[in-house]
Amino acid sequence: KKKLKISGRDLASVPVQVFSLDQLQVLEMSPERESCLRYRMELLPPEISRLRNLTCLYVDSNNLKKIPAEIGTLSHLERLTLSNNSLSSLPPEMGALQRLHSLHLANNSLTELPTPLCQLRSLTFLDVSDNKISTIPSSIRHLEKLETLLLLFNSLESLPEDVCLLRNLHTLWLGNNHLWSLPASFGELVNLDWGCNYCSCNFEGNPLERPPPEVCSRGPEEIRYYFLSFRRT
């Protein structure tokens, strides 16, 4: 089999038979998003390394507390979803997942953006919303292909200038943090959509000066309209 979905509200561990499926490409052990269920699996076993052909691994909405270092051996992994778990850290070996382009980490207990993530040069989508992240490392500038960065509901008080080097960003959500200002070069993120119908940048729930003069003096004119509208609401 190339694809396997394991379901059940009492799911607490990976059945050992799974690790003999060395041709498996997609492994899903998450409840349906609409079900509001949460499985009980607390540990992703190190034997996961036997599934060398995995491209997608879905383990949302469990009770994972730790990710084994062996995850770094899954060299074909392209998509990894770990949202809605109990993770407070990630293994440095995750930096070896050089084919990974989509990583979901929303609603965990992360207090910082792990440095190994900034080694994932192929990453185009990163969701770390609803954690306790207070700082962004300057090494984030290495994520040159990143198109979507979701940082809502964290504890950010500032953004490093290095974020403004992510010139391929199309979507950046920063709502419900503690941001008082933005980097002076923020307006150089020219691929963000500042249009009226759909805005790919979100600042609601921050104590920002509106409109931030260091931002509105640069970049497209739509930035000023966005913040003036934001001010009125």
Side-chain angles (χ1 to χ4, degrees):
K1 288 186 176 181
K2 298 292 182 70
K3 182 176 181 179
L4 177 64
K5 177 177 174 62
I6 304 173
S7 60
R9 67 173 65 241
D10 295 323
L11 181 65
S13 63
V14 184
V16 66
Q17 298 92 333
V18 170
F19 302 121
S20 64
L21 303 174
D22 56 2
Q23 296 303 309
L24 197 63
Q25 294 180 354
V26 179
L27 177 57
E28 184 172 353
M29 296 178 288
S30 302
E32 298 294 337
R33 293 183 182 276
E34 298 79 10
S35 69
C36 298
L37 288 177
R38 199 179 187 107
Y39 293 167
R40 298 188 297 112
M41 187 162 53
E42 295 185 2
L43 177 67
L44 195 62
E47 288 81 5
I48 195 74
S49 62
R50 297 180 188 174
L51 305 179
R52 295 296 179 89
N53 288 297
L54 272 187
T55 59
C56 299
L57 178 59
Y58 302 92
V59 279
D60 299 276
S61 300
N62 278 273
N63 194 28
L64 294 175
K65 294 178 170 59
K66 185 178 180 181
I67 301 299
E70 286 79 4
I71 192 122
T73 65
L74 301 179
S75 59
H76 293 282
L77 204 61
E78 298 176 357
R79 184 178 176 87
L80 176 60
T81 65
L82 296 167
S83 296
N84 304 317
N85 280 287
S86 302
L87 298 170
S88 58
S89 63
L90 298 172
E93 288 80 4
M94 280 188 65
L97 301 176
Q98 289 303 309
R99 293 192 184 185
L100 198 67
H101 59 71
S102 182
L103 179 58
H104 299 241
L105 291 165
N107 194 22
N108 276 283
S109 299
L110 299 173
T111 57
E112 61 181 0
L113 189 64
T115 302
L117 299 190
C118 300
Q119 301 171 16
L120 303 176
R121 301 298 180 91
S122 296
L123 210 60
T124 61
F125 181 98
L126 176 58
D127 183 1
V128 285
S129 301
D130 204 2
N131 279 278
K132 302 173 184 177
I133 296 172
S134 58
T135 59
I136 302 294
S138 61
S139 53
I140 196 173
R141 66 182 181 276
H142 298 309
L143 300 181
E144 298 173 353
K145 295 183 179 180
L146 198 63
E147 297 178 359
T148 300
L149 177 57
L150 308 182
L151 286 159
L152 298 90
F153 292 98
N154 276 287
S155 302
L156 293 172
E157 295 185 359
S158 63
L159 285 180
E161 288 278 349
D162 302 84
V163 169
C164 304
L165 298 176
L166 302 177
R167 300 298 168 80
N168 285 310
L169 271 185
H170 287 79
T171 302
L172 176 61
W173 286 2
L174 295 163
N176 293 92
N177 279 279
H178 307 303
L179 297 172
W180 288 90
S181 63
L182 296 172
S185 54
F186 192 88
E188 296 177 10
L189 293 174
V190 295
N191 285 317
L192 292 177
D193 178 13
W194 294 95
C196 297
N197 295 327
Y198 170 77
C199 186
S200 62
C201 207
N202 177 288
F203 296 100
E204 293 181 1
N206 285 286
L208 280 170
E209 179 184 356
R210 310 171 188 175
E214 70 276 20
V215 174
C216 294
S217 61
R218 309 178 71 160
E221 189 176 358
E222 288 83 2
I223 293 180
R224 289 189 289 278
Y225 289 125
Y226 171 81
F227 278 105
L228 287 171
S229 174
F230 183 47
R231 187 179 189 177
R232 288 193 294 270
T233 59

